[in-house]
Amino acid sequence: MNTAGHTDAAGLDLIPFRGVRYVPEQVGSLAAVTSPPYDVIVRPDGLLHLESADPHNIVRLILPQATSPAARNEQAADTLRSWLREGILAPDAEPSLYVYEQRDSEILQRGIIGALRLSEAAEGIVLPHEDVMPHVVEDRAALMRATSANLEPLLLTYRSDSGGASEGDGGSDGGAPDARAVIERTAERAPLLSTTTEDGFQHRLWSVTDPAEIAEIQSDLAAHQALIADGHHRWATNLRLRAEHPSPSAWDYGLVLLVDTARYPLRVRAIHRYLHRLPVSEALAALGDSFRIRTVEGPLGHALDALAEAAAKSNAFVLAGDGAFHLVDRPSPDLLARTIPGDHPEAWRTLDATVLHATLLDHVWRIPDTPDHIAYIHDTAATVEKAERDGGTAILMHPVREEVVRDLARQGVTMPRKSTSFGPKPATGLVLRALAF
């Protein structure tokens, strides 16, 4: 395990690693072997689409298909070993940090991929903001044990304090360490890879191997803390596996993408809920007069505009699944007082996700938060389509601002799980971290 440039600072400790990447000559195209993160793929259609895109698509590692969990994990491990042996995947020659860029017609995002020293939330270095589901952590842990690899990076955000180089700036000219200057300087070079995925995003990746540039990045990051934007279950998985291995070891680190949101603000979107066993008519009837209920005209975009307008004034949701859109807002203050725990900050008590889970799911509808009752879906249209096809209820959410998320995380307060979707998320398959290299 390479630990060049390791520091003992109380902030972020990012080290280079030998990235494992697809060999372009061995696959149809880099775009065809990538996928979204494992929890964003809409099963089964999305999974089948990715599997058929290329026989070596990364989905065969992150979501292997077999008759049992043990068989799935062993299949992923066998596939990874086979692809390395056959030269489909290969480790880079030397340890690197990687500058990663995502760009479409609306957004440009750049960050640094590296191996980050793991830390508990109480240390205040990496801040979670959502709870996790134990069964998902165990599932991911079993896959990581079998493959001994970080198959996809977490998305973490940090905020530079002040200054820093702007795009195209040549560097920090001997001043304070500036990771942004290294990122922008690196992005002027020829990339290791460049590909455009079917969602319209162009992805570019560069390696940073110069010891001075690595040291500058590390010194800058050592003064910062990070927020987990996407990947709470993978972070919890990394912590669990670290505890299973004597330190020091490669298991002390996890694969992350760090984005400075003072320079490159992320999109924050909602994650919607689908209630498998509750028809829309029953959901609305159970609300009684405790919420205001209005039917809003479609199409979906118009309904979301109405949701955004209502969410600026009170807790608000759109229920769908019966061919119409039902805007539910203005909850009864008495109902909230009886159902929302009072031992949390007001910013937490007034979250839509808090009201949804504590008031609606737990109290009004009495629905357990288990996979056979609730599905969490990132894609808005897919949530509505599933409800209309299967007869359940889609609950469309309005996104939370990043500042609210960060402020709660700094207070040590976690939001209900799957409260936010930060993006753009890194494509899975551009660079892996095998713990043996």
Side-chain angles (χ1 to χ4, degrees):
M1 172 80 192
N2 179 279
T3 56
H6 165 73
T7 72
D8 293 318
L12 299 170
D13 180 6
L14 192 73
I15 64 170
F17 68 102
R18 290 181 65 193
V20 172
R21 298 187 292 113
Y22 281 98
V23 177
E25 295 78 12
Q26 299 296 323
V27 296
S29 74
L30 289 175
V33 295
T34 65
S35 89
Y38 78 95
D39 58 340
V40 178
I41 297 169
V42 180
R43 301 189 198 193
D45 295 343
L47 181 62
L48 295 174
H49 173 72
L50 291 166
E51 285 184 330
S52 61
D54 188 284
H56 302 108
N57 188 283
I58 193 69
V59 76
R60 297 179 186 276
L61 299 183
I62 63 172
L63 287 174
Q65 300 300 295
T67 55
S68 69
R72 288 196 296 269
N73 296 329
E74 187 56 37
Q75 178 176 296
D78 289 344
T79 300
L80 177 58
R81 287 191 291 265
S82 173
W83 289 357
L84 286 166
R85 184 172 60 252
E86 296 168 8
I88 306 300
L89 293 168
D92 284 337
E94 56 184 320
S96 306
L97 296 177
Y98 297 86
V99 170
Y100 175 47
E101 176 187 280
Q102 294 163 275
R103 182 196 296 263
D104 70 0
S105 60
E106 299 177 352
I107 194 169
L108 168 65
Q109 177 176 293
R110 289 177 182 151
I112 306 166
I113 294 176
L116 183 69
R117 178 176 290 276
L118 303 174
S119 59
E120 299 286 348
E123 297 176 59
I125 299 171
V126 175
L127 306 175
H129 70 269
E130 290 182 353
D131 295 326
V132 297
M133 296 174 276
H135 75 277
V136 176
V137 174
E138 182 50 48
D139 177 73
R140 292 290 101 185
L143 178 63
M144 273 191 63
R145 289 190 197 99
T147 59
S148 293
N150 297 149
L151 300 174
E152 46 189 338
L154 290 79
L155 174 60
L156 306 186
T157 74
Y158 72 101
R159 294 188 64 85
S160 53
D161 295 328
S162 62
S166 60
E167 187 170 351
D169 199 331
S172 55
D173 296 326
D178 188 353
R180 293 195 299 179
V182 179
I183 291 173
E184 303 306 332
R185 192 164 63 242
T186 301
E188 296 177 354
R189 305 168 186 163
L192 289 175
L193 64 85
S194 178
T195 190
T196 300
T197 46
E198 64 181 10
D199 59 3
F201 270 95
Q202 181 190 47
H203 305 263
R204 297 199 295 170
L205 189 77
W206 297 262
S207 63
V208 179
T209 58
D210 179 80
E213 291 187 322
I214 290 174
E216 182 162 8
I217 291 171
Q218 291 176 319
S219 296
D220 189 355
L221 293 177
H224 295 290
Q225 63 180 186
L227 174 75
I228 300 177
D230 185 67
H232 283 82
H233 289 92
R234 280 165 280 167
W235 186 257
T237 297
N238 286 334
L239 290 173
R240 173 179 293 194
L241 294 174
R242 180 185 68 169
E244 297 175 4
H245 295 82
S247 186
S249 77
W251 297 91
D252 294 339
Y253 295 80
L255 183 64
V256 305
L257 165 64
L258 277 161
V259 175
D260 175 10
T261 52
R263 178 69 179 88
Y264 296 108
L266 272 66
R267 294 171 177 158
V268 186
R269 292 175 173 162
I271 302 176
H272 309 294
R273 277 64 169 161
Y274 171 67
L275 309 182
H276 295 280
R277 304 181 182 183
L278 184 68
V280 175
S281 59
E282 294 181 18
L284 293 172
L287 295 179
D289 59 0
S290 58
F291 283 77
R292 183 175 69 167
I293 304 172
R294 293 173 289 161
T295 300
V296 296
E297 297 294 328
L300 177 58
H302 185 269
L304 294 177
D305 289 341
L307 174 61
E309 182 178 352
K313 302 172 184 176
S314 80
N315 299 113
F317 315 92
V318 166
L319 274 56
D322 61 353
F325 298 104
H326 307 277
L327 180 61
V328 174
D329 66 352
R330 297 187 183 179
S332 161
D334 290 340
L335 177 63
L336 297 182
R338 286 187 284 112
T339 57
I340 303 295
D343 57 349
H344 284 68
E346 182 180 2
W348 180 89
R349 288 185 279 115
T350 56
L351 288 170
D352 288 341
T354 299
V355 173
L356 172 61
H357 284 262
T359 301
L360 288 172
L361 295 174
D362 293 350
H363 180 81
V364 176
W365 295 325
R366 300 187 182 279
I367 295 177
D369 193 358
T370 57
D372 56 326
H373 284 275
I374 304 175
Y376 293 81
I377 305 175
H378 292 74
D379 185 272
T380 311
T383 312
V384 176
E385 289 166 6
K386 183 171 180 60
E388 293 183 342
R389 181 179 64 247
D390 298 344
T393 295
I395 303 176
L396 307 184
M397 310 280 289
H398 187 66
V400 183
R401 300 191 318 277
E402 181 185 351
E403 311 89 82
V404 174
V405 177
R406 191 176 297 274
D407 287 346
L408 286 171
R410 283 174 173 158
Q411 296 178 60
V413 177
T414 55
M415 301 165 63
R417 60 191 180 87
K418 300 294 182 182
S419 293
T420 59
S421 177
F422 285 87
K425 304 179 191 302
T428 299
L430 294 181
V431 60
L432 288 63
R433 176 177 175 253
L435 275 66
F437 296 122

